[in-house]
Amino acid sequence: AQRVTQPEKLLSVFKGAPVELKCNYSYSGSPELFWYVQYSRQRLQLLLRHISRESIKGFTADLNKGETSFHLKKPFAQEEDSAMYYCAPVTGGGNKLTFGTGTQLKVEL
Amino acid sequence: SQTIHQWPATLVQPVGSPLSLECTVEGTSNPNLYWYRQAAGRGLQLLFYSVGIGQISSEVPQNLSASRPQDRQFILSSKKLLLSDSGFYLCAWSPIRGDTQYFGPGTRLTVL
């Protein structure tokens, strides 16, 4: 069955430490992949998408087809990065996103 | 600019009562529309999506239904609520298939 896995429910790091939020998928072909973020008391919003190959708020994500992964990385965590992060590939013939269960990132001082 | 609205923001309903949550989008035409439920510890689950008026795809069998009576209006309904329907319901839209989705503020539903 096609699925997306975010193995960590909670990830706690110190400010200034590197961050890696894991995402693995099992979809065939070359899926379009997104990372969404939900900050406290804000709406769920797009963080980045792999096709744009850009860095947003210092975060990057590389699609590794061999490992079927799309891990989200940032070299130096900031306190404002604390949020819930969701990995989401496009599925259903391009009509929908399938969200992972999410990882709560907590950046401690 | 485009905006998405959901109401009500919070709702407390007894078991067995009906439900109607509304979502509207402004500033765009023929959007793809989505209903999600965000349950604690279970992430974000897609319930329904719609690519046009009257076109609804259901993702999971459940006690809920969706309708799209107008191009920019998406309604989530139930005839009789269950305790398990409690959760945070999010509506989203995207301009074209496979593109970025934009989320509404959500509705917190508690069924007692």
Side-chain angles (χ1 to χ4, degrees):
Chain A
Q2 297 178 331
R3 57 190 298 173
V4 56
T5 304
Q6 291 181 254
E8 302 135 333
K9 286 184 83 170
L10 173 65
L11 182 64
S12 185
V13 302
F14 286 108
K15 180 181 175 180
V19 174
E20 182 179 67
L21 300 170
K22 292 184 169 57
C23 172
N24 289 90
Y25 63 92
S26 62
Y27 296 89
S28 59
S30 299
E32 171 75 25
L33 284 144
F34 295 76
W35 275 99
Y36 279 78
V37 62
Q38 189 168 26
Y39 301 102
S40 179
R41 290 184 292 277
Q42 293 188 29
R43 299 186 186 194
L44 187 62
Q45 58 188 284
L46 176 70
L47 178 61
L48 56 80
R49 55 192 299 183
H50 97 270
I51 197 171
S52 58
R53 299 186 183 278
E54 56 190 346
S55 174
I56 305 294
K57 299 184 179 182
F59 284 97
T60 58
D62 291 321
L63 178 62
N64 186 321
K65 292 182 182 179
E67 296 180 359
T68 59
S69 68
F70 189 52
H71 303 328
L72 184 69
K73 300 177 183 179
K74 184 170 182 176
F76 308 104
Q78 301 299 314
E79 190 180 0
E80 56 266 27
D81 296 329
S82 295
M84 190 73 169
Y85 291 81
Y86 292 95
C87 179
V90 174
T91 59
N95 282 320
K96 59 183 184 178
L97 296 174
T98 297
F99 284 82
T101 51
T103 297
Q104 181 72 47
L105 174 64
K106 183 178 179 182
V107 180
E108 300 185 63
L109 299 176
Chain B
S1 63
Q2 301 89 2
T3 55
I4 179 169
H5 305 281
Q6 281 186 251
W7 66 90
T10 306
L11 189 61
V12 180
Q13 291 284 95
V15 169
S17 65
L19 173 74
S20 181
L21 302 181
E22 191 159 342
C23 171
T24 58
V25 181
E26 296 176 356
T28 188
S29 297
N30 197 32
N32 285 3
L33 296 170
Y34 308 84
W35 277 113
Y36 292 88
R37 178 166 53 208
Q38 193 174 27
R42 298 189 62 185
L44 204 60
Q45 181 185 36
L46 178 64
L47 303 176
F48 302 93
Y49 71 92
S50 171
V51 299
I53 295 175
Q55 301 177 62
I56 308 295
S57 295
S58 175
E59 289 299 296
V60 291
Q62 59 203 313
N63 184 43
L64 303 168
S65 61
S67 61
R68 185 170 177 173
Q70 300 180 45
D71 181 45
R72 289 169 289 177
Q73 184 185 30
F74 205 24
I75 297 172
L76 185 68
S77 304
S78 174
K79 292 182 179 178
K80 289 186 178 182
L81 283 168
L82 306 172
L83 287 174
S84 56
D85 291 324
S86 293
F88 191 59
Y89 290 83
L90 287 167
C91 182
W93 74 276
S94 67
I96 56 175
R97 51 187 279 175
D99 204 346
T100 302
Q101 291 189 14
Y102 301 91
F103 286 81
T107 295
R108 174 75 60 191
L109 172 66
T110 303
V111 183
L112 301 174

